[in-house]
Amino acid sequence: MNFHTTKNLIFVSIIFFAVSIYSQDTTQSLAFKKNRPQKNNPYFYRPDLSYQLLQQFKLIQEANSGDALAQHELGIRLLLGEGVAPDTAQAVKWIKSAADKNLSAAAYNYGILLINGWGVEWNPFEAFKYFLQAASKGMPQAQYVSGILYTDNLIVPRNWEKAFYWINLSRKNGYKLDDDVYNELLAKVRPGFIDSVKSDLIAFEKNISKEDISPNSDLNSNNQSAFDKSLGLSYINFDLLEDTTSHEVSETDLINDLTRTDISNIVDTLRLKNVKSLTEINGNDQIKLLLDLCKNGAPEALTLIGKLYEEGIYFKEDLITAAEYYIRAIRNESFRAPVLLYKLTQKATFKQILEKEVKLQNASAMFVWYGLSKFGYNNELIISEALRLLQESANQKHIPSLIEIGLNYFTGDNLPKNEFKAIQFWKQAEELGNSEATIRIILSEIFDEQNSDKHKKLVSSLINFADKGSVISQSALGYCYLNGVGIAKNKATAVKYFRSAAFRGNRFAYEQLKKLYDELRPASAEFRIEE
């Protein structure tokens, strides 16, 4: 992939949605879709409390003598800085030593280090081996992770039966799993497979050893409080179209999707925890926060606000504005908005309202008609006519139109490539208070500016916007960390940002992540994935 192609892909991944997509399979990566582990909770498992009570000197003595439990406990203390100065290199050494002695907790924890690149080179394939090692000894947390990794078709080939085997086993051993997820996973395996799993489990349980696994251990204990949970073992759905083909998008889906932004406690802040209906969104502060996320280009917030307009919740019902938000969400690669927009266009009054408002030169309506043509929902307009409507809307200082026409100029899509013109349009939107325009200006400067000192400031700004929900900032940060643009190269951090963006639907991030895995992929048949 050349430089200019990469640049264009970061700015915009063109998505065309045909009506035929709505008949496709909706659960291509079920476990990622609805039941990834708590996204920001990297559980470091401690199997034996007695070692935590040992005096430091005695603990080191026990570790040096080869005691696996002591080695693991010492490694955890060094990693978290509990009672000792933090020393990541020594922590990794001790945890690995215990893992190689077949201590399940250590194997699980070393897998976490490997899959996140903490203190060790990022290596998801080695991580999988250690997770499987711990799973085979009966550790429910490792069993769950092993099952999950059989669903993503990235480390090992997707295998629903192996996924079900391990996840079912983890559930039987006490790992909390939503019933809805379990039932969906159950539907993915052959009818006769369940009985064979039951008999296999009996044989499995006779042969496992749980000497280093305490069934009463609290994985959410205060032992985790010192650790930076924002760098947790995050799992994503790598089949980015799986939800775009769904016939139903529930209100709880739209609320829960806000957690994908990686903004800490976002659902609690919005007072939406355990909320089942959007009608409970009735506060000005809630709407302000959602609209701020929209300004940053957060597809989840854009989709949710669109739904509020469509249903007349908090806002007066406005199908044109709803469609505008859905189109903006699609531009930012929402995987929910395509379904909602399609259904909206099928409403009996929608086309009539749209045509009337376009004739009245309504800026939002002209933008919507352009968007419907652009993304394949309406073939009545040729692209030149759609662009004319977009230009007229931009002339009215309509912010989404200013951003969109800038994208067309920047990428050379439908308009002659002219980066200077693109930036001028984005600056107009920025002056009107739109943060997404600011982000796109920053990206253009990152690619064109040769001053490394300025690069550092620009990357710092991207980190700030990523923390505020910008998916394109996350994707761009992955690129910056991978290539050392404005910041030191760090493959593990690049993977972290690519994971976050891909989880939200960003195709560029997904392709880059896939490429990173393939570059490291072992030659053994176990990890061979057929295209």
Side-chain angles (χ1 to χ4, degrees), residues 260-478:
R260 295 171 181 263
T261 63
D262 273 343
I263 298 175
S264 179
N265 300 319
I266 182 65
V267 173
D268 288 334
T269 302
L270 284 164
R271 304 193 305 280
L272 296 177
K273 188 173 183 180
N274 299 321
V275 167
K276 303 298 182 183
S277 171
L278 295 180
T279 57
E280 297 186 47
I281 298 177
N282 52 28
N284 293 336
D285 56 334
Q286 293 171 302
I287 297 299
K288 182 181 183 303
L289 179 53
L290 287 169
L291 291 176
D292 285 343
L293 288 170
C294 290
K295 289 179 181 179
N296 292 327
E300 303 84 3
L302 288 163
T303 306
L304 182 54
I305 290 289
K307 188 64 174 176
L308 295 180
Y309 271 107
E310 181 181 356
E311 300 298 331
I313 299 171
Y314 186 86
F315 304 103
K316 181 180 179 181
E317 180 183 314
D318 186 336
L319 301 187
I320 302 303
T321 302
E324 176 184 314
Y325 273 95
Y326 289 152
I327 289 168
R328 290 172 62 191
I330 290 170
R331 174 54 85 192
N332 283 279
E333 303 198 75
S334 165
F335 53 86
R336 305 280 194 200
V339 177
L340 295 174
L341 180 60
Y342 173 73
K343 290 185 175 182
L344 177 61
T345 62
Q346 302 307 299
K347 290 189 174 182
T349 59
F350 178 78
K351 185 177 180 182
Q352 181 182 354
I353 294 171
L354 179 61
E355 289 177 345
K356 176 184 176 182
E357 293 300 317
V358 167
K359 288 178 181 178
L360 293 173
Q361 298 288 292
N362 180 306
S364 290
M366 290 189 288
F367 171 80
V368 167
W369 202 314
Y370 158 84
L372 294 177
S373 300
K374 175 71 175 179
F375 295 114
Y377 292 87
N378 187 322
N379 297 318
E380 294 181 17
L381 292 182
I382 60 174
I383 192 62
S384 59
E385 181 63 14
L387 285 168
R388 182 187 67 78
L389 291 177
L390 181 66
Q391 181 67 68
E392 289 185 15
S393 182
N395 290 342
Q396 296 184 35
K397 307 297 184 185
H398 181 249
I399 290 174
S401 297
L402 291 169
I403 293 174
E404 182 66 23
I405 203 166
L407 281 169
N408 278 273
Y409 274 117
F410 194 91
T411 62
D413 183 33
N414 300 320
L415 289 172
K417 187 175 177 65
N418 189 321
E419 294 184 10
F420 176 78
K421 276 190 175 182
I423 292 170
Q424 294 310 303
F425 279 106
W426 291 336
K427 284 183 176 178
Q428 289 184 60
E430 182 183 41
E431 290 169 2
L432 294 169
N434 183 267
S435 303
E436 183 184 345
T438 303
I439 294 165
R440 296 190 182 279
I441 293 169
I442 289 172
L443 294 185
S444 69
E445 292 177 344
I446 277 183
F447 284 109
D448 292 340
E449 175 61 54
Q450 298 301 312
N451 187 319
S452 60
D453 289 334
K454 189 171 184 180
H455 277 166
K456 293 178 183 178
K457 294 178 181 178
L458 295 173
V459 168
S460 178
S461 295
L462 283 181
I463 292 172
N464 179 53
F465 281 118
D467 291 341
K468 294 179 179 178
S470 169
V471 66
I472 58 173
S473 294
Q474 290 176 334
S475 180
L477 284 168

Side-chain angles (χ1 to χ4, degrees), residues 60 85 208 456-457 491 507:
I60 294 172
I208 63 172
K456 293 178 183 178
K457 294 178 181 178
K491 185 180 290 187
R507 292 167 184 258

Side-chain angles (χ1 to χ4, degrees), residues 49-100:
L49 184 62
S50 64
Y51 275 89
Q52 298 176 42
L53 303 178
L54 284 175
Q55 293 181 352
Q56 198 71 32
F57 178 73
K58 181 172 176 59
L59 181 65
I60 294 172
Q61 276 189 323
E62 295 283 350
N64 282 323
S65 72
D67 186 298
L69 284 167
Q71 290 176 340
H72 178 241
E73 176 63 28
L74 180 57
I76 292 293
R77 289 194 190 186
L78 288 164
L79 189 67
L80 304 179
E82 292 184 354
V84 292
D87 189 329
T88 303
Q90 284 296 305
V92 170
K93 167 196 159 186
W94 287 116
I95 292 172
K96 183 179 186 302
S97 178
D100 290 340

